[in-house]
Amino acid sequence: MTWNAAEIREQIVSWTANRRGVSRLYEALASGMMEDEDLLQILAEAPEPTLFCNRFFGAVHYLLLQGVPGDLAAFYATVQTSPRPPAAAYPSFRQFCLDNLEAILAIIGEREIQISDVRRSAVLLPAIIEVSARESGRQLALIDVGACAGFNLNFDRYHYDYGVHGRIGDRRAAIQLRCEFRGARKFELPTAIPPIGARLGIDSEPVDPADVSACNWMMALISPDDDTRLQYLRAALAETRACPPPILKGTAGDLLKIAMSNMDPQMNLCVMHTMTSHHFTPDERRAVDDALAETSLRRTVHVVSLEWAVQDGHPDPTVPLVLELETWRVGYARRQTLGSSDNRGVGAWLEWGGCP
């Protein structure tokens, strides 16, 4: 399915507005693109995927990280120690796109979006603490759907600073996370992170943290001048290389039921997913719900999710992410909204609503 230049321009306008102040380079490039009718028309040959701008700018960034030559590299802080000013970048960007059009279009059509940020663990942890409290602190059996490299599965290896609400985790941890708590409801931190008895990830394209190309694709989906996010990604990849959690390759529709059945029935079963459900096909979504319903006939299943709100059947990246807890028992689910977080999924803040 192809689309037209006007539709691509609309995507760029929306994407740039939602990311204002994140990247001076991408703002300059997007501004140039919106006036470049010829390039927009050429890009209309690309498929019409979700999150087109993430894929397109990621494709260009990925080729540079992989060593594809071009004057554009001089403007990217991830490949150049002292990058040139963003205002002068567009002519080089345009030429790079034209020179590498076939490769860029292939990446847009074939690569999955794998944006993962270790700071999401700071938003998930309060929900997991809630799940643990409901099951008398029993060991957790964690399954992360859309695990990517497995950052969230290693959340017990990080230290968390929640400001006035306290700290938790090893203060000597390599990864130090800070999350601003908002809202009137007080959150009570336990003395320690809930114990994990088993952990397992599921991903259609799991990332091996030792695979340079796979790691470059994750880095490519971050703005090259978003220093903080890049630093966290590099640190998380290093931590995951040191302690890689097991991750199954495949879809949740095919693997979730099997994964849950293999977890110790004496453990507190918790499935989690972050910014993942919009990738599900309708059939996969039904298969996931069927697996949860069937498993809940034998044991309680808690599902912690941090996802975009859905408007007109599509994820809405303009509004805060929603933190939810589904509790499945005897074939039925009870859903509760626990809070909301920043729409970029970097765990900057959590508006905690708590549970009744």
Side-chain angles (χ1 to χ4, degrees), residues 218-240:
M218 289 189 71
M219 189 177 298
L221 292 166
I222 299 174
S223 309
D225 47 357
D226 192 343
D227 296 336
T228 299
R229 195 164 191 172
L230 287 165
Q231 288 171 7
Y232 273 110
L233 175 60
R234 294 186 181 106
L237 287 169
E239 186 74 7
T240 310

Side-chain angles (χ1 to χ4, degrees), residues 141-145 200 202 248 252-267 269-272 287-303 328:
L142 289 176
I143 300 175
D144 188 7
V145 173
L200 179 66
I202 297 172
L248 302 177
D254 292 334
L255 297 177
L256 182 57
K257 181 179 176 181
I258 298 170
M260 291 189 294
S261 67
N262 287 334
M263 289 297 184
D264 186 335
Q266 300 305 311
M267 292 184 183
L269 182 57
C270 181
V271 177
M272 56 186 182
V288 167
D289 284 345
D290 289 346
L292 292 167
E294 183 175 333
T295 302
S296 74
L297 297 175
R298 299 182 297 276
R299 64 190 298 183
T300 299
V301 186
H302 299 284
V303 181
W328 286 81

Side-chain angles (χ1 to χ4, degrees), residues 105-356:
L105 294 179
I107 292 170
I108 291 172
E110 297 168 6
R111 286 276 186 171
E112 291 293 335
I113 296 293
Q114 290 176 298
I115 301 175
S116 185
D117 196 302
V118 68
R119 290 172 290 177
R120 295 176 193 167
S121 292
V123 177
L124 294 174
L125 180 56
I128 293 171
I129 288 171
E130 176 67 29
V131 168
S132 179
R134 293 185 181 199
E135 302 292 337
S136 303
R138 285 189 296 137
Q139 280 191 320
L140 288 158
L142 289 176
I143 300 175
D144 188 7
V145 173
C148 196
F151 299 162
N152 292 331
L153 286 166
N154 279 344
F155 74 86
D156 56 330
R157 295 174 61 85
Y158 314 144
H159 177 257
Y160 302 84
D161 181 354
Y162 292 109
V164 297
H165 292 271
R167 297 169 178 257
I168 191 170
D170 184 356
R171 292 193 179 223
R172 300 166 298 175
I175 294 184
Q176 302 281 325
L177 304 179
R178 179 173 177 80
C179 179
E180 176 194 352
F181 254 85
R182 298 178 180 177
R185 189 183 292 271
K186 183 172 174 56
F187 179 73
E188 297 290 344
L189 280 177
T191 57
I193 292 174
I196 301 174
R199 65 191 90 202
L200 179 66
I202 297 172
D203 200 286
S204 59
E205 293 292 336
V207 174
D208 177 354
D211 183 334
V212 174
S213 178
C215 294
N216 277 348
W217 176 239
M218 289 189 71
M219 189 177 298
L221 292 166
I222 299 174
S223 309
D225 47 357
D226 192 343
D227 296 336
T228 299
R229 195 164 191 172
L230 287 165
Q231 288 171 7
Y232 273 110
L233 175 60
R234 294 186 181 106
L237 287 169
E239 186 74 7
T240 310
R241 278 193 290 271
C243 187
I247 301 177
L248 302 177
K249 179 179 173 63
T251 68
D254 292 334
L255 297 177
L256 182 57
K257 181 179 176 181
I258 298 170
M260 291 189 294
S261 67
N262 287 334
M263 289 297 184
D264 186 335
Q266 300 305 311
M267 292 184 183
N268 178 7
L269 182 57
C270 181
V271 177
M272 56 186 182
H273 55 88
T274 65
M275 301 176 76
T276 297
S277 63
H278 60 277
H279 293 296
F280 291 170
T281 65
D283 286 344
E284 185 174 7
R285 192 178 300 276
R286 281 191 293 271
V288 167
D289 284 345
D290 289 346
L292 292 167
E294 183 175 333
T295 302
S296 74
L297 297 175
R298 299 182 297 276
R299 64 190 298 183
T300 299
V301 186
H302 299 284
V303 181
V304 172
S305 64
L306 181 65
E307 300 285 353
W308 278 314
V310 175
Q311 300 288 344
D312 300 323
H314 299 285
D316 185 354
T318 67
V319 299
L321 294 166
V322 181
L323 179 66
E324 289 187 332
L325 172 61
E326 281 184 351
T327 302
W328 286 81
R329 292 190 177 96
V330 294
Y332 297 94
R334 181 192 178 202
R335 175 178 293 181
Q336 296 169 273
T337 298
L338 299 183
S340 59
S341 186
D342 62 278
N343 64 343
R344 292 188 64 221
V346 298
W349 55 267
L350 170 61
E351 178 113 18
W352 179 252
C355 294

Side-chain angles (χ1 to χ4, degrees), residues 22-40:
V22 173
S23 170
R24 291 178 58 219
L25 175 61
Y26 278 4
E27 287 183 18
L29 297 180
S31 178
M33 282 187 68
M34 286 186 277
E35 303 299 324
D36 193 336
E37 194 71 26
D38 291 340
L39 181 59
L40 292 177

